[in-house]
Amino acid sequence: MTDKFISIEAIAKRYPGAGGATTTVFENLWLSMARGEFCCVIGHSGCGKTTVLNILAGLDAPSEGAVIVDGQAISGTSLDRAVIFQSHALLPWRTVLGNVAYAVSSKWRNWDRVKVRAHAQTFIDLVGLTGSEHKHPSELSGGMKQRVGIARALSITPKMMLMDEPFSALDALTRGTLQDEVRRICLETGQTAFMITHDVDEAIYLADKIFLMTNGPGAVLAEVVENPLPRDRGRTDLHRHPLYYALRNHIIDFLVTRSKTFAAETPGHDPRNVPLVHIGKPGLSIASNEEQRQTWISGTSPGLTA
Amino acid sequence: MMTTSSLRLRAGLVSIALLAAFLGIWHLATRSTAPVATMSPEYAKLMGLTATQGKSAMPGPLDVGAKLWQHLKRPFYDNGPNDKGLGIQLAYSIARVGTGYLLAVLVAIPLGFLIGMSPLLSKALDPFIQVLKPISPLAWMPLALYTIKDSSISAIFVIFICSIWPMLLNTVFGVASVRKEWVNVARTLEVGTVRRAFTVILPAAAPTILTGMRISIGIAWLVIVAAEMLVGGTGVGYFVWNEWNNLSITNVIIAILLIGIVGMLLDQILARFTRMVTFPE
Ligand SMILES: Nc1ncnc2c1ncn2[C@@H]1O[C@H](COP(=O)(O)OP(=O)(O)O)[C@@H](O)[C@H]1O
Ligand SMILES: [Mg+2]
């Protein structure tokens, strides 16, 4: 796939450090996404994931390099790129409907109240909050607040969605439901999505591509892992797929050991041509290791169910 | 629910009991007790009731009550410059406070917005604000009288200058400390600066701004009494001073009581506005 809907080209972010020195969070970072693709970024805290997302959103400017969206270099924020914030960032003095309507009326400035409300209501219904339109954020649970955040982001029918650990503050059950919903909505509307997560299973369930970032400072994009699981995967039978553990172990190995040592062990790493990893395909050493692991797991599972 | 209502009831009863005790002690303390001296009728007339009937110089609650009733029956009479109804005097004071205060609102809130949104202005103006803020508003009075040459406008100016600082500082603080994520929401929605100021920054900073406005109205009401004592002419402050010169302690006590009640009402109005703009998080 050569269609680059989003292309991050050689961006760097530097902050003035202590004593006149500069701290480089990352430099010469290249990354691209195709239209309709769902991409997750995984990396340790402080490696610069939020910085990349803010640059993509236009909330922050890179020290060097550029971001090209749909053939155009971006400058500043845009209604084409909706952000779902980790802390949901709802305006507490507005109701659920008011929060979504604020976004709708920002996009379509000449719409009248009735039209704005009707449009906002559609998206409140879409995220399953029908009946809570007139509640204030303080009256909602964490999961419901994040649903409003999702409705607000979707209501402006963006070309892409940027999500910074959107579910990390939620309990496991709510997180699961919202993952299902985000996946369904993104597939239905053909959204291009960029999501930061700490949760490996979340990335495996949602992502088409997983970006692995090494530890900062001076973080690099080490690998792009293609998700080998079929597009119509379900959350409950994810772990039954023959390549699930291979994929999961590859990511966890990276997080546990390789994210620290990557820079030292891979001197010839070309940030412009980051290796694309196909789990389970011949030619990669991890595939053969994982086959043994696979048999070992299927061997133990009858014992577990008995 | 039941415990709070019963607590309120009990607190109300205790308040009434305390008031009754206070009035009782006041009454006993100012009752006629001193022995009545025998003197010639002319001398007695000169000496007044204090000497002739053993009456205390301090009026008792019954005197004050009777006098208050007179004032309440005729609050707006006007018998020339030194004899106006208390209602008129209070109205003068409230009008001065209202004018000075509203002018201060009109200056402090837009200026506070600008300073709060601009780190440069905020740093540049800080030394001036720090120096001007602790100046007693009455210290401005001679300068105001000298430049404005009108005592009534000078009093308004003093109110203006004393109410501006809490509002200005609270607006600056409220605007500067709006949560970054709310501003980012507006930015990602491509909301322009003016609309952002009205739809995000103003509602977010409103509780802090209103708190400053509430502090200001309290200070303004404190200052007006002193200012009117200085400039004279009209107003409840002048009334207090004038009644002191007339040695009418009863009227002084009544004025003190009314100053307290009006101050409380002004504070309650601002408290209500503050509650209206406060949002739970
Ligand atoms: N305003 C700032 N000044 C200096 N350093 C910053 C600033 N903002 C972020 N950083 C640094 O940039 C790095 C990346 O931050 P961030 O993108 O938030 O990481 P992540 O989201 O991956 O946890 C961190 O090490 C952080 O200390
Ligand atoms: Mg982060």
Side-chain angles (χ1 to χ4, degrees), chain A residues 6 28 32 53 65 67 70 73 98 102 116 123 128 136 138 144 170 214 218 247 291 300:
Chain A
I6 286 144
N28 200 17
S32 68
L53 184 133
V67 177
D70 221 358
Y102 183 61
V116 167
F123 286 88
H136 280 88
S138 58
M144 289 163 93
L170 307 177
T214 63
L247 176 61
E291 264 162 22
T300 48

Side-chain angles (χ1 to χ4, degrees), chain A residues 40-59:
Chain A
C40 280
V41 185
I42 291 191
H44 284 284
S45 254
C47 71
K49 306 180 296 294
T50 300
T51 311
V52 173
L53 184 133
N54 284 345
I55 290 173
L56 254 179
L59 288 168

